[in-house]
């Protein structure tokens, strides 16, 4: 099993099951001791903002704020630079612990030895 997991989530409220799966996998991996880097891109970018995850609902799924908190507690959450810019989101807008970085950093993380990358 890879020691590091990079997960890019492109879905948000537009594809709730896919979105929830990405956050659930990230949280389970963190709880299992895996080093996790969760990337928010596309419609999931909105979840970098305070209160936005609480608006997300999916029956029989863990609450999104809880999943994000668990990843932030032991992993890393990154908001895509271009996605943030298109939505006029800045570093001062995002939840504590979320960084904004671009494709170069994503590729660097995804290509590191012992890393598995997943895209939802």
């Amino acid at each position: 099993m890879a020691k590091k997991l990079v997960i890019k989530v492109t879905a948000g409220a537009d594809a709730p099951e896919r979105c929830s799966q990405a956050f659930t996998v990230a949280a389970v991996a963190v709880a299992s001791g895996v080093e996790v880097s969760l990337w928010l891109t596309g419609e999931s970018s909105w979840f970098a903002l305070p209160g936005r995850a609480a608006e997300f609902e999916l029956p029989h799924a863990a609450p999104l704020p809880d999943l994000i908190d668990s990843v932030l507690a032991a992993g890393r959450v990154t908001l895509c630079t271009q996605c943030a810019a298109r939505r006029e989101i800045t570093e001062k807008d995002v939840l504590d612990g979320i960084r904004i970085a671009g494709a170069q950093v994503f590729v660097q993380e995804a290509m590191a030895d012992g890393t598995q990358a997943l895209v939802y």
Side-chain angles (χ1 to χ4, degrees):
M1 181 164 90
K3 294 184 181 183
K4 297 177 188 173
L5 185 59
V6 177
I7 299 172
K8 179 183 273 195
V9 55
T10 63
D14 59 325
E17 288 184 308
R18 191 162 32 107
C19 176
S20 180
Q21 289 167 1
F23 283 95
T24 300
V25 168
V28 169
V30 164
S32 300
V34 176
E35 184 180 333
V36 172
S37 178
L38 178 64
W39 283 72
L40 307 177
T41 68
E43 285 303 300
S44 72
S45 299
W46 296 114
F47 299 128
L49 298 174
R52 292 302 282 267
E55 298 171 5
F56 180 86
E57 292 184 17
L58 181 64
H60 310 291
L64 202 57
D66 294 348
L67 297 174
I68 292 172
D69 287 347
S70 67
V71 176
L72 280 170
R76 173 177 289 164
V77 179
T78 305
L79 172 59
C80 162
T81 301
Q82 290 182 16
C83 300
R86 281 190 283 275
R87 290 161 180 80
E88 299 180 359
I89 299 171
T90 67
E91 288 186 3
K92 68 179 184 205
D93 300 319
V94 300
L95 294 165
D96 287 341
I98 294 181
R99 69 176 178 165
I100 297 176
Q104 179 182 1
V105 176
F106 176 80
V107 170
Q108 187 176 38
E109 286 186 8
M111 297 305 296
D113 288 339
T115 300
Q116 173 70 49
L118 302 173
V119 178
Y120 286 86

